[in-house]
Coordinates of all heavy atoms in Angstrom, one line a residue:
M1 N -11.6 3.8 3.0 CA -10.6 3.5 2.0 C -9.3 4.4 2.4 O -9.5 5.5 2.8 CB -11.0 3.8 0.6 CG -9.9 3.5 -0.4 SD -10.4 3.6 -2.1 CE -11.5 2.3 -2.2
I2 N -8.2 3.7 2.3 CA -6.9 4.4 2.5 C -6.1 4.4 1.2 O -6.1 3.4 0.5 CB -6.1 3.7 3.6 CG1 -6.9 3.5 4.9 CG2 -4.8 4.3 3.9 CD1 -6.3 2.5 5.9
E3 N -5.5 5.5 0.9 CA -4.7 5.6 -0.3 C -3.3 6.1 0.0 O -3.2 7.1 0.8 CB -5.4 6.5 -1.3 CG -4.7 6.6 -2.6 CD -5.4 7.4 -3.7 OE1 -6.6 7.7 -3.5 OE2 -4.8 7.6 -4.7
F4 N -2.3 5.5 -0.6 CA -0.9 5.9 -0.4 C -0.3 6.1 -1.8 O -0.7 5.5 -2.8 CB -0.1 4.8 0.2 CG -0.5 4.5 1.6 CD1 -1.2 3.3 1.9 CD2 -0.1 5.3 2.7 CE1 -1.6 3.0 3.2 CE2 -0.5 5.0 4.0 CZ -1.2 3.8 4.2
K5 N 0.6 7.1 -1.9 CA 1.5 7.2 -3.0 C 2.8 6.6 -2.7 O 3.3 6.9 -1.6 CB 1.7 8.7 -3.4 CG 2.5 8.9 -4.6 CD 2.2 10.3 -5.2 CE 3.1 10.6 -6.4 NZ 2.8 9.9 -7.6
V6 N 3.2 5.6 -3.5 CA 4.4 4.9 -3.2 C 5.3 5.1 -4.4 O 5.3 4.3 -5.4 CB 4.1 3.4 -3.0 CG1 5.4 2.6 -2.5 CG2 3.0 3.2 -1.9
D7 N 6.1 6.1 -4.4 CA 7.0 6.5 -5.6 C 8.0 5.4 -5.9 O 8.4 5.3 -7.1 CB 7.7 7.8 -5.4 CG 6.7 9.0 -5.6 OD1 5.7 8.8 -6.4 OD2 6.9 10.0 -4.9
D8 N 8.4 4.6 -4.9 CA 9.4 3.6 -5.2 C 8.8 2.2 -5.6 O 9.5 1.2 -5.8 CB 10.4 3.4 -4.1 CG 9.8 3.3 -2.7 OD1 8.5 3.4 -2.6 OD2 10.5 3.2 -1.7
M9 N 7.5 2.2 -5.9 CA 6.8 1.0 -6.5 C 6.9 1.2 -8.0 O 6.2 2.1 -8.5 CB 5.4 0.9 -6.0 CG 4.6 -0.2 -6.6 SD 2.9 -0.2 -6.1 CE 2.3 1.3 -6.9
T10 N 7.6 0.4 -8.7 CA 7.8 0.6 -10.1 C 7.4 -0.5 -11.0 O 7.5 -0.4 -12.3 CB 9.3 0.9 -10.4 OG1 10.1 -0.2 -9.9 CG2 9.8 2.2 -9.6
C11 N 7.1 -1.7 -10.5 CA 6.8 -2.8 -11.3 C 5.8 -3.8 -10.7 O 5.4 -3.6 -9.5 CB 8.1 -3.5 -11.6 SG 8.9 -4.3 -10.2
G12 N 5.5 -4.8 -11.4 CA 4.5 -5.8 -10.9 C 5.1 -6.5 -9.7 O 4.3 -6.9 -8.8
H13 N 6.4 -6.8 -9.7 CA 6.9 -7.4 -8.5 C 6.7 -6.6 -7.3 O 6.3 -7.1 -6.2 CB 8.4 -7.7 -8.7 CG 9.1 -8.2 -7.5 ND1 8.9 -9.5 -7.0 CD2 9.9 -7.6 -6.6 CE1 9.6 -9.7 -5.9 NE2 10.2 -8.6 -5.6
C14 N 7.0 -5.3 -7.4 CA 6.8 -4.3 -6.3 C 5.3 -4.4 -5.8 O 5.0 -4.5 -4.6 CB 7.1 -2.9 -6.7 SG 8.8 -2.6 -7.2
A15 N 4.4 -4.4 -6.8 CA 3.0 -4.5 -6.4 C 2.6 -5.7 -5.7 O 1.8 -5.7 -4.7 CB 2.1 -4.3 -7.7
G16 N 3.2 -6.8 -6.1 CA 3.0 -8.1 -5.4 C 3.5 -8.1 -4.0 O 2.8 -8.6 -3.1
V17 N 4.7 -7.5 -3.8 CA 5.2 -7.4 -2.4 C 4.4 -6.6 -1.5 O 4.1 -6.9 -0.4 CB 6.7 -6.9 -2.5 CG1 7.2 -6.6 -1.1 CG2 7.6 -7.9 -3.2
I18 N 3.9 -5.5 -2.0 CA 3.0 -4.6 -1.3 C 1.7 -5.2 -0.9 O 1.2 -5.2 0.2 CB 2.8 -3.2 -2.0 CG1 4.2 -2.5 -2.0 CG2 1.7 -2.4 -1.4 CD1 4.2 -1.2 -2.8
T19 N 1.1 -5.9 -1.9 CA -0.1 -6.7 -1.7 C 0.0 -7.7 -0.6 O -0.8 -7.8 0.3 CB -0.6 -7.3 -3.0 OG1 -0.8 -6.3 -4.0 CG2 -1.9 -8.1 -2.8
K20 N 1.1 -8.4 -0.6 CA 1.4 -9.5 0.4 C 1.6 -8.8 1.8 O 1.2 -9.3 2.8 CB 2.6 -10.3 0.1 CG 2.3 -11.3 -1.0 CD 3.6 -12.1 -1.4 CE 3.3 -13.0 -2.6 NZ 4.5 -13.7 -3.0
A21 N 2.3 -7.7 1.8 CA 2.5 -7.0 3.1 C 1.2 -6.5 3.7 O 0.9 -6.6 4.9 CB 3.4 -5.8 2.9
V22 N 0.3 -6.0 2.9 CA -1.1 -5.6 3.4 C -1.8 -6.8 3.8 O -2.5 -6.8 4.9 CB -1.8 -4.8 2.3 CG1 -3.3 -4.6 2.7 CG2 -1.1 -3.5 1.9
A23 N -1.8 -7.9 3.1 CA -2.5 -9.1 3.5 C -2.0 -9.7 4.8 O -2.8 -10.3 5.5 CB -2.4 -10.1 2.3
A24 N -0.8 -9.4 5.1 CA -0.2 -9.9 6.4 C -0.9 -9.3 7.6 O -0.9 -9.9 8.6 CB 1.3 -9.8 6.4
V25 N -1.3 -8.0 7.4 CA -1.9 -7.3 8.5 C -3.5 -7.3 8.4 O -4.1 -7.0 9.4 CB -1.4 -5.9 8.7 CG1 0.1 -5.9 9.1 CG2 -1.6 -5.0 7.5
D26 N -4.0 -7.5 7.2 CA -5.4 -7.5 7.0 C -5.7 -8.5 5.8 O -5.8 -8.0 4.7 CB -6.0 -6.1 6.7 CG -7.5 -6.0 6.7 OD1 -8.1 -7.1 6.6 OD2 -8.0 -4.9 6.7
A27 N -6.0 -9.7 6.2 CA -6.2 -10.7 5.2 C -7.4 -10.5 4.3 O -7.5 -11.0 3.2 CB -6.3 -12.1 5.8
N28 N -8.4 -9.7 4.8 CA -9.6 -9.5 4.0 C -9.6 -8.1 3.3 O -10.6 -7.8 2.6 CB -10.8 -9.5 4.9 CG -11.0 -10.9 5.5 OD1 -10.8 -11.9 4.8 ND2 -11.2 -11.0 6.8
A29 N -8.5 -7.4 3.3 CA -8.4 -6.1 2.7 C -8.5 -6.3 1.2 O -7.9 -7.2 0.6 CB -7.2 -5.4 3.1
K30 N -9.1 -5.3 0.5 CA -9.1 -5.3 -1.0 C -8.0 -4.2 -1.3 O -8.1 -3.1 -0.9 CB -10.5 -4.9 -1.5 CG -11.5 -5.9 -1.2 CD -12.9 -5.5 -1.7 CE -13.9 -6.6 -1.3 NZ -15.2 -6.1 -1.4
V31 N -7.1 -4.7 -2.2 CA -6.0 -3.8 -2.5 C -6.1 -3.5 -4.0 O -6.2 -4.4 -4.8 CB -4.6 -4.5 -2.2 CG1 -3.5 -3.6 -2.6 CG2 -4.5 -4.9 -0.8
A32 N -6.0 -2.2 -4.4 CA -6.0 -1.8 -5.8 C -4.8 -1.0 -6.0 O -4.5 -0.1 -5.3 CB -7.3 -1.0 -6.1
I33 N -4.0 -1.5 -7.0 CA -2.7 -0.9 -7.3 C -2.7 -0.3 -8.7 O -3.0 -1.0 -9.6 CB -1.5 -1.9 -7.0 CG1 -1.5 -2.2 -5.6 CG2 -0.2 -1.3 -7.5 CD1 -0.4 -3.2 -5.2
D34 N -2.2 0.9 -8.8 CA -2.0 1.6 -10.1 C -0.5 1.9 -10.2 O -0.1 2.9 -9.7 CB -2.9 2.8 -10.2 CG -2.8 3.5 -11.6 OD1 -2.0 3.0 -12.4 OD2 -3.5 4.5 -11.8
I35 N 0.2 1.1 -10.9 CA 1.7 1.2 -11.0 C 2.1 2.5 -11.7 O 2.9 3.3 -11.2 CB 2.3 0.0 -11.7 CG1 2.1 -1.2 -10.8 CG2 3.8 0.3 -11.9 CD1 2.5 -2.5 -11.4
P36 N 1.5 2.9 -12.8 CA 1.9 4.2 -13.5 C 1.7 5.4 -12.6 O 2.6 6.3 -12.7 CB 1.0 4.3 -14.7 CG 0.6 2.8 -15.0 CD 0.5 2.2 -13.6
S37 N 0.7 5.4 -11.8 CA 0.5 6.6 -10.9 C 1.1 6.4 -9.5 O 1.0 7.3 -8.7 CB -1.0 7.0 -10.8 OG -1.7 6.0 -10.0
H38 N 1.7 5.2 -9.3 CA 2.3 4.9 -8.0 C 1.3 4.9 -6.8 O 1.6 5.3 -5.7 CB 3.5 5.8 -7.7 CG 4.5 5.7 -8.7 ND1 5.5 4.7 -8.8 CD2 4.8 6.6 -9.8 CE1 6.2 5.0 -9.9 NE2 5.8 6.1 -10.5
R39 N 0.0 4.6 -7.1 CA -1.0 4.7 -6.1 C -1.4 3.3 -5.6 O -1.5 2.3 -6.4 CB -2.3 5.3 -6.6 CG -2.1 6.8 -7.1 CD -1.8 7.7 -5.9 NE -1.5 9.0 -6.4 CZ -2.1 10.1 -5.9 NH1 -3.0 10.0 -5.0 NH2 -1.8 11.3 -6.4
V40 N -1.6 3.2 -4.3 CA -2.1 2.0 -3.6 C -3.3 2.3 -2.8 O -3.3 3.2 -2.0 CB -1.0 1.3 -2.7 CG1 -1.6 0.1 -2.0 CG2 0.3 1.0 -3.5
R41 N -4.5 1.7 -3.2 CA -5.7 2.0 -2.4 C -6.1 0.7 -1.7 O -6.1 -0.4 -2.3 CB -6.8 2.4 -3.4 CG -6.6 3.7 -4.0 CD -7.7 4.0 -5.1 NE -7.2 5.1 -5.9 CZ -6.5 5.0 -7.0 NH1 -6.1 3.8 -7.4 NH2 -6.2 6.1 -7.7
I42 N -6.4 0.9 -0.4 CA -6.7 -0.3 0.4 C -8.1 -0.1 1.1 O -8.3 1.0 1.7 CB -5.7 -0.5 1.5 CG1 -4.3 -0.8 0.9 CG2 -6.1 -1.7 2.4 CD1 -3.3 0.2 1.2
D43 N -9.0 -1.0 0.9 CA -10.3 -1.0 1.5 C -10.3 -2.2 2.5 O -10.4 -3.3 2.1 CB -11.4 -1.2 0.5 CG -12.8 -0.9 1.1 OD1 -12.9 -0.6 2.3 OD2 -13.7 -1.2 0.4
G44 N -10.1 -1.8 3.8 CA -10.1 -2.9 4.8 C -10.5 -2.3 6.2 O -10.9 -1.2 6.3
S45 N -10.3 -3.2 7.2 CA -10.7 -2.8 8.5 C -9.5 -2.5 9.4 O -9.7 -2.1 10.6 CB -11.5 -3.9 9.1 OG -10.7 -5.1 9.2
T46 N -8.3 -2.6 8.9 CA -7.1 -2.3 9.7 C -6.7 -0.8 9.7 O -6.9 -0.1 8.8 CB -5.9 -3.1 9.2 OG1 -6.3 -4.5 9.1 CG2 -4.7 -3.0 10.0
R47 N -6.2 -0.4 10.8 CA -5.8 1.0 11.0 C -4.8 1.4 9.9 O -3.9 0.6 9.5 CB -5.1 1.2 12.4 CG -6.1 1.2 13.5 CD -5.4 1.5 14.9 NE -4.0 1.9 14.8 CZ -2.9 1.2 15.1 NH1 -3.1 0.0 15.5 NH2 -1.7 1.7 15.0
Q48 N -4.8 2.7 9.5 CA -3.9 3.2 8.5 C -2.5 3.0 8.9 O -1.6 2.7 8.1 CB -4.3 4.7 8.2 CG -3.3 5.4 7.4 CD -2.4 6.3 8.2 OE1 -2.7 6.9 9.2 NE2 -1.1 6.3 7.8
Q49 N -2.2 3.3 10.1 CA -0.7 3.2 10.6 C -0.2 1.8 10.5 O 1.0 1.6 10.1 CB -0.6 3.8 12.0 CG 0.9 3.9 12.4 CD 1.6 4.9 11.5 OE1 1.2 6.1 11.4 NE2 2.7 4.5 10.9
A50 N -1.0 0.8 10.8 CA -0.5 -0.6 10.7 C -0.2 -1.0 9.2 O 0.8 -1.6 8.9 CB -1.6 -1.5 11.3
I51 N -1.1 -0.5 8.3 CA -0.9 -0.8 6.9 C 0.4 0.0 6.4 O 1.2 -0.6 5.7 CB -2.1 -0.4 6.1 CG1 -3.2 -1.4 6.4 CG2 -1.8 -0.5 4.6 CD1 -4.6 -1.1 5.8
Q52 N 0.5 1.2 6.8 CA 1.6 2.0 6.4 C 2.9 1.4 6.9 O 3.9 1.3 6.2 CB 1.5 3.4 6.9 CG 2.5 4.4 6.3 CD 2.1 5.8 6.6 OE1 1.1 6.1 7.3 NE2 2.9 6.8 6.1
D53 N 2.9 0.9 8.1 CA 4.1 0.3 8.7 C 4.4 -1.0 8.0 O 5.6 -1.3 7.7 CB 3.9 0.0 10.2 CG 3.8 1.2 11.1 OD1 4.2 2.3 10.6 OD2 3.4 1.1 12.2
A54 N 3.4 -1.8 7.6 CA 3.7 -3.1 6.9 C 4.3 -2.8 5.5 O 5.2 -3.5 5.1 CB 2.4 -3.8 6.7
I55 N 3.8 -1.8 4.8 CA 4.4 -1.4 3.5 C 5.8 -0.9 3.7 O 6.7 -1.3 2.9 CB 3.5 -0.4 2.8 CG1 2.2 -1.0 2.4 CG2 4.2 0.1 1.5 CD1 1.1 0.0 1.9
S56 N 6.1 -0.1 4.7 CA 7.4 0.3 5.0 C 8.4 -0.8 5.3 O 9.5 -0.9 4.8 CB 7.4 1.3 6.2 OG 6.8 2.5 5.8
E57 N 7.9 -1.8 6.1 CA 8.7 -2.9 6.5 C 9.0 -3.8 5.3 O 10.0 -4.5 5.2 CB 8.1 -3.7 7.6 CG 8.1 -3.0 8.9 CD 7.2 -3.7 10.0 OE1 6.8 -4.8 9.7 OE2 6.9 -3.0 11.0
A58 N 8.2 -3.7 4.2 CA 8.4 -4.5 3.0 C 9.5 -3.8 2.1 O 9.9 -4.3 1.1 CB 7.1 -4.6 2.2
G59 N 9.9 -2.6 2.5 CA 11.0 -1.9 1.8 C 10.5 -0.7 0.9 O 11.3 -0.2 0.1
Y60 N 9.3 -0.3 1.1 CA 8.8 0.8 0.3 C 8.4 2.1 1.2 O 8.4 2.0 2.4 CB 7.5 0.4 -0.5 CG 7.9 -0.7 -1.4 CD1 7.8 -2.1 -1.0 CD2 8.4 -0.5 -2.7 CE1 8.2 -3.1 -1.8 CE2 8.8 -1.5 -3.5 CZ 8.7 -2.8 -3.1 OH 9.0 -3.8 -3.9
T61 N 8.2 3.2 0.5 CA 8.0 4.4 1.2 C 6.6 5.0 0.9 O 6.4 5.8 0.0 CB 9.0 5.5 0.7 OG1 10.3 4.9 0.8 CG2 9.0 6.7 1.6
P62 N 5.6 4.5 1.7 CA 4.2 5.0 1.5 C 4.0 6.3 2.0 O 4.3 6.6 3.2 CB 3.4 3.9 2.2 CG 4.2 3.4 3.3 CD 5.6 3.5 2.8
V63 N 3.3 7.2 1.3 CA 2.9 8.5 1.7 C 1.4 8.6 1.7 O 0.8 8.4 0.6 CB 3.6 9.6 0.9 CG1 3.1 11.0 1.3 CG2 5.1 9.5 1.0
L64 N 0.8 8.9 2.8 CA -0.7 8.9 2.8 C -1.2 10.1 1.9 O -0.7 11.2 2.0 CB -1.1 9.2 4.3 CG -2.6 9.1 4.5 CD1 -3.2 7.8 4.2 CD2 -3.0 9.6 5.9
V65 N -2.2 9.7 1.1 CA -2.8 10.7 0.3 C -4.1 11.2 1.0 O -5.0 10.4 1.3 CB -3.2 10.1 -1.1 CG1 -4.0 11.1 -1.9 CG2 -2.0 9.7 -1.8
A66 N -4.2 12.5 1.2 CA -5.3 13.0 2.0 C -6.6 13.1 1.2 O -6.6 13.2 0.0 CB -5.0 14.4 2.6

C-alpha cells in the first residue's frame, strides 16, 4: 500500500480527478481517499513513482507518507 498526503485536495471533485489519474496508470488499483485528512491510499501493483507522477500531472502535490 502507498499513502500520500495531498494538501491541495480539498473536495470531491479533486478526489475524482486523483482517482482517475491513478486509474490511468493502474486500472486495477484500489484507491481510498480521506478528504478531511488529505490522505490518498493506493493498493495496487504500479510503482510509487509512477502513481506520484500521475497525481502531479493531474495538478496536485502528493507527498509520500512513510
